[in-house]
Amino acid sequence: MDIRIEELSKQFGRYPAVENVSLHIRSGELVALLGPSGSGKTTLLRLIAGLEQPTGGRILFGDEDASRKSVQERNVGFVFQHYALFKHMSVADNIGFGLRVRPRAQRPRRADIRARAAELLDLVQLPGYGDRFPAQLSGGQRQRVALARALAIEPRVLLLDEPFGALDAKVRKDLRRWLRELHDKTGHTTVFVTHDQEEAIELADRVVVLNKGVIEQVGTPDEIYDAPASPFVHGFIGEASSLPVTLSNREVWLEDRWTGLRCNGTGEALLFFRPNAVDVVEECTGCIAGVVVGSRRVADRKRVEIEIGKGRHRIEIDLPADRSAAERHRIAFRPTNWHIYPSAVGRVAPARALVDA
Amino acid sequence: MSDAIFMRFRQPSVLPGFGLTLGFTLAYLSGIVLIPLAALILKSAGLGWADIWRIATDARTLAALRLSFGASFIAASINAVFGLLLAWVLVRYSFPGRRLVDAMIDLPFALPTAVAGIALTALYAPNGWIGQLLAPLGLKVAYTPIGIVIALTFISLPFIVRTVEPVLRDLDREIEEAAATLGASRGQTLLRVLLPSLMPAILTGYALALARSIGEYGSVIFIAGNIPYVSEIAPLLIVIRLEEFNYAGATAIAALMLAISFTMLLVINLIQTWNRRRFGHGS
């Protein structure tokens, strides 16, 4: 099911949770809504489901306007962060609930509902769990039951609100891979909300990055990671360090020192780079140099914190784990992959760094 | 031997003190509940089975017991419905004066029951505010079993509201939303999702309201009219027997009430346990 969101807004009192959001979700796509808490991602998902009423804009399911329809009529599968299973019903009854509450004419026979529940339990890899109660299942199992329950009504779109948020790291990883496989198998249009950028990048076909109720960027995981459209996206996705710089003569200057980078534009700007995308250099005419103030081990690299210049800006770079980086030592480096954004006070707006050093 | 049994029930816990707390519980229960009740049973046992049977099957006793338990059941049932409604409104909606309504619910607890009885009688008597409206319809409330039901409904209202309220407040809104996304109408959500989740709390409140109503005396005797065989409740019959210095007769009726009440509460408790087990809680 194709979903078109047109200039959608939602205000809670005077607080705008979602502002003028337009988005096109293609049929069969797996889309992540990513953002920090308070970014409006859950509100957007609930608006699509019909659990919230928009204050402006439209939502189209295919060609039909869904925004005037009730939750019940929209036929969406919704999976909640805390499962929201019916505790007084067995697993099979939970899964069959959506079929049992249908009007009499469309209601499948009792035996068919049982069979459908058993089939879905196979799909979510919990065969034979039908007679248990939610209290007897682990968190990961409960979430899979919740998913089976949502799939039972043959939804036009599957919506998941932080589906793995309440699970521990190991189960999360397994379920993530499993959800991807399930999506490829069933082909439902799926939208899920997460604040975990790793999860969004690993799982989704496309990622929608939200901040303060507006969309910052929509793109494939590669686009989001390699070409972040704004300082916010750069800072939110993956690790990032930033420094205030000045642009002049197609050169990027940090205080009174040339960084060795070239870029169009003039005036104040912000330089962003990732800790792992730097070359450490010995002596340089164009580089960034600072004093080591701390280091710690991160996976197979050593992350070093460096204090730079009179402004005492602190940034982080990665070094090989065996390289020594004693405190108070001077260290110089040059980013190999970086982006320039207009600073908050800057007057110029260079679109993107163009020339490498 | 007894030590082994004791140890079997003992479970390791971060808060020790199983022995102390269980000992205190038993001693306390004995002092406050068991000893007075045992004395009651002992006293009535001195009567001999034949006498107890004679008093128990006495038409006046039977009528009083039937009235007491019947009126209590009706009152508790009325409160189960409307108490639930009240709790729902208090938890789910905010409106001006909500705090005030909230405080008013506990009034039947605080008011001396005799005051409640007199107030209700004044209202429902044939020349009272409400009674004079009902009189032309041929409906007599005061001095009839209907009056008793009204008095019992009044005094047992807080039980259902106060037991359901916290459970309702803690009830996850998401399960209602989940039901809605699955296509359930509001009625279906209420009947199939909400009520079953609230059932244990409603049952607890029901049991408390029932127990309170069965033992109620003060408010009822004013509105009941106390006509033997018609509107005379069992607790009143006990008092009448006492005033006749017929202590054996009084204790016999008391022991009967005790037995019936205990059986009823036990049944309600068993239903609760069965309910919990069905939901997969507990062992």
Side-chain angles (χ1 to χ4, degrees), chain A residues 65-132:
Chain A
D65 189 353
S67 25
R68 299 282 159 256
K69 288 190 161 185
S70 71
V71 197
Q72 286 89 346
E73 292 164 334
R74 285 194 203 189
N75 195 26
V76 295
F78 202 101
V79 175
F80 295 86
Q81 180 178 4
H82 298 289
Y83 331 123
L85 292 176
F86 308 129
K87 292 189 191 70
H88 59 283
M89 290 183 204
S90 71
V91 166
D93 285 344
N94 262 286
I95 296 173
F97 182 84
L99 300 174
R100 282 203 313 281
V101 295
R102 282 188 183 171
R104 199 173 292 276
Q106 301 157 34
R107 196 184 307 158
R109 283 179 318 168
R110 199 177 282 256
D112 293 342
I113 295 177
R114 274 311 280 193
R116 177 91 179 115
E119 195 182 298
L120 282 162
L121 278 173
D122 283 341
L123 183 71
V124 299
Q125 293 165 7
L126 289 170
Y129 278 66
D131 291 328
R132 303 219 191 168

Side-chain angles (χ1 to χ4, degrees), chain A residues 46 72 76 86 88 101 133, chain B residues 177 184 188 192 196 278-279:
Chain A
R46 290 170 63 86
Q72 286 89 346
V76 295
F86 308 129
H88 59 283
V101 295
F133 281 88
Chain B
E177 292 179 344
Q188 284 170 323
R192 294 175 174 227
R278 221 162 51 96
F279 294 179

Side-chain angles (χ1 to χ4, degrees), chain A residues 142-165:
Chain A
R142 283 183 213 180
Q143 197 56 296
R144 280 185 278 167
V145 171
L147 193 61
R149 182 178 67 178
L151 289 172
I153 58 167
E154 278 149 34
R156 295 194 287 183
V157 44
L158 191 57
L159 307 169
L160 305 106
D161 185 9
E162 305 240 5
F164 314 126

